[in-house]
Amino acid sequence: MASVFAHEPVLLDETIRHLHLHPGSVVIDGTIGGGGHARHILGKLGSDGTLIGMDVDGDALRATKRRLEDAGVLDGRVHLVHTSFRRVGDALASLGIQKVDAVLLDLGVSSHQLDTRERGFRFAEAETHPAPLDMRMDPSSGQSAAELLHRASEAEIEGWLREYGELPGARRLARAIADSRDEHPLETNADLLRVIRETRVGRGRQHNPATLVFQALRIAVNDELSALREGLDAAVAALRPGGRLVVIAYHSLEDRIVKRAFRAGENPCTCPPRTPVCICGGVVTLRVITRRPIRPSQDEVGRNPRARSARLRAAERVALEERAA
Ligand SMILES: C[S@@+](CC[C@H](N)C(=O)[O-])C[C@H]1O[C@@H](n2cnc3c(N)ncnc32)[C@H](O)[C@@H]1O
C-alpha cells in the first residue's frame, strides 16, 4: 500500500535563509518531492513571485499539486514540470523565463519513495513482503534495477558496488549476482538480499552491507551522480548574478561532487602554479557561502531521523565579468 505523500523538509530554516528569497523572486525547486520546502518557499515569494517545481517522479508532482491545492497556495505563481533538474535550461525555455533568483536541489529519494514498498528502494520487510526490484525515481522511463542487474556485465556490477556503494567485497558479490542470475533472475528485493547474505560481504562493518548495495544500485539505476554534475552546471547557468544555489546532499559521494563544483566555480583557474598571469581563461561563477557544510541539529535528527546524513552547501552566482585572479 502506498503511504500518504508526506516529506518532512530537511534543514528547512537553513534552506530558506540561504535561498535569500524576497517578494517577486523567481525560484526553482529542482526536487520538489512532497512539496515540503516548496510550501515554505511560496510563503516568501509574495503575490508576484514564481516557483518552478521540478521532479522526475510523476507521482510526486501529482501529489504535490494536490497538497498545494489543499493548502490554497496553488496559483499562477506555480509551474510544475515533470523533468530532471539536468534539464533546468529546457524547462526555463519552455516557460519563457531567462534567469532565476534561486535554485534548491534537495537530493536523493523522498520519504514517500522509500516508504512505498512496491517501488523496491528498501530491503526492510523484504523477506516477509518481497517487492519488485525497481528503484526508478521515474518509473515511466529507463531500466529497473532488476533489468539492469540482468543485462549488466559482471564488471559493470562490480564497478557500481565499488564506486557507488564503497562496498568491501564488491568483486565477490558481483560474481555471486552473475552466478545467481544464470539460474534464476533477481526479480525482487528479497532475491537480492538472499545473495548478499549468502555472500557474506561487508560483515562486521559499520554499515549494513545491504544498505550499501541498495544505495549503489539506486545510484546506478537513476544515474544520480551524472545527473547531479549536469544539474549543478545547469543551475549555475540559470542563476542571475547574486542568485543563490542551495544543495542538500545525503551521502559523501554527492557531497564531494557539490563541494568540488562549488570550489571550481569559485576558483576555476587551472594554470600551473606560479603562472604570473592567468592564461587558462577560467571564469569565476560562484562565491561559496558555506565554508563547511551545515548539518542538522540533534533536535532535528531526533524529530526526523532521515535528516541524519544531510549536508547543506550554498553558493552565490557572481557577475559574469569576474575573471579568475
Ligand atoms: C529528498 S526528496 C525532496 C523532498 C522535498 N524537498 C520536500 O521537502 O518535500 C528528493 C526528490 O528529488 C527527486 N529527484 C531525484 N533526482 C532528480 C533529478 N535528477 N531531477 C529531478 N528530480 C529528482 C526525487 O524523485 C524526489 O522526489
Side-chain angles (χ1 to χ4, degrees):
M1 249 264 305
S3 59
V4 174
F5 211 115
H7 184 97
E8 170 95 20
V10 170
L11 289 165
L12 178 62
D13 292 345
E14 295 82 350
T15 300
I16 298 294
R17 186 156 44 86
H18 282 93
L19 286 172
H20 226 206
L21 305 170
H22 51 79
S25 289
V26 181
V27 182
I28 295 175
D29 182 341
T31 51
I32 197 164
H37 287 103
R39 274 190 63 176
H40 294 268
I41 292 172
L42 274 169
K44 300 279 179 192
L45 301 189
S47 56
D48 57 351
T50 301
L51 173 71
I52 301 127
M54 302 169 55
D55 207 294
V56 283
D57 184 342
D59 277 355
L61 285 172
R62 278 184 290 278
T64 296
K65 183 162 179 271
R66 276 197 305 275
R67 291 184 89 201
L68 297 180
E69 244 161 19
D70 292 348
V73 293
L74 186 73
D75 48 34
R77 299 175 303 163
V78 183
H79 304 276
L80 297 177
V81 191
H82 183 201
T83 192
S84 166
F85 53 62
R86 307 165 112 131
R87 286 186 268 284
V88 158
D90 294 340
L92 289 185
S94 71
L95 296 168
I97 295 172
Q98 304 233 313
K99 294 285 174 193
V100 302
D101 299 293
V103 179
L104 169 63
L105 301 179
D106 177 20
L107 304 170
V109 276
S110 66
S111 299
H112 180 261
Q113 288 166 333
L114 274 174
D115 293 342
T116 308
R117 211 182 328 114
E118 54 271 33
R119 295 189 64 170
F121 283 107
R122 44 188 266 180
F123 54 87
E125 308 137 34
E127 280 151 328
T128 48
H129 298 90
L133 201 51
D134 191 319
M135 296 197 195
R136 283 171 298 172
M137 290 184 191
D138 180 359
S140 68
S141 74
Q143 297 185 65
S144 69
E147 287 165 333
L148 213 60
L149 282 183
H150 187 63
R151 297 203 180 120
S153 68
E154 191 179 313
E156 275 175 307
I157 297 172
E158 181 189 335
W160 298 328
L161 296 173
R162 194 183 297 288
E163 194 185 335
Y164 303 154
E166 298 176 334
L167 180 81
R171 175 174 299 178
R172 204 146 43 86
L173 182 59
R175 165 80 42 90
I177 289 172
D179 289 347
S180 168
R181 74 184 174 187
D182 289 344
E183 288 168 24
H184 170 67
L186 299 174
E187 280 167 354
T188 68
N189 51 4
D191 293 336
L192 179 59
L193 199 58
R194 179 182 43 77
V195 182
I196 298 169
R197 294 226 168 105
E198 285 171 5
T199 316
R200 298 163 74 92
V201 287
R203 279 164 70 95
R205 298 286 177 139
Q206 185 195 357
H207 293 289
N208 181 341
T211 306
L212 302 178
V213 174
F214 275 68
Q215 169 184 300
L217 259 185
R218 196 199 85 198
I219 292 175
V221 166
N222 297 288
D223 194 18
E224 288 178 39
L225 303 186
S226 301
L228 176 56
R229 287 189 195 95
E230 290 173 29
L232 289 170
D233 286 347
V236 172
L239 283 169
R240 63 157 183 81
R244 291 289 181 94
L245 172 57
V246 173
V247 188
I248 307 174
Y250 293 87
H251 54 76
S252 54
L253 294 171
E254 284 174 345
D255 186 54
R256 211 173 299 148
I257 291 172
V258 179
K259 184 166 101 179
R260 287 187 182 154
F262 279 16
R263 200 185 285 157
E266 189 170 61
N267 184 9
C269 180
T270 53
C271 294
R274 289 193 288 282
T275 307
V277 179
C278 171
I279 48 166
C280 71
V283 176
V284 178
T285 54
L286 294 175
R287 177 177 72 81
V288 177
I289 295 166
T290 47
R291 287 291 144 203
R292 289 170 178 281
I294 297 175
R295 309 291 308 258
S297 64
Q298 286 195 344
D299 198 34
E300 175 167 2
V301 175
R303 271 183 288 118
N304 178 14
R306 282 183 186 160
R308 192 175 50 238
S309 55
R311 285 163 230 186
L312 180 152
R313 293 183 188 267
E316 185 170 290
R317 181 77 159 98
V318 299
L320 292 172
E321 299 71 38
E322 290 185 31
R323 309 275 305 180

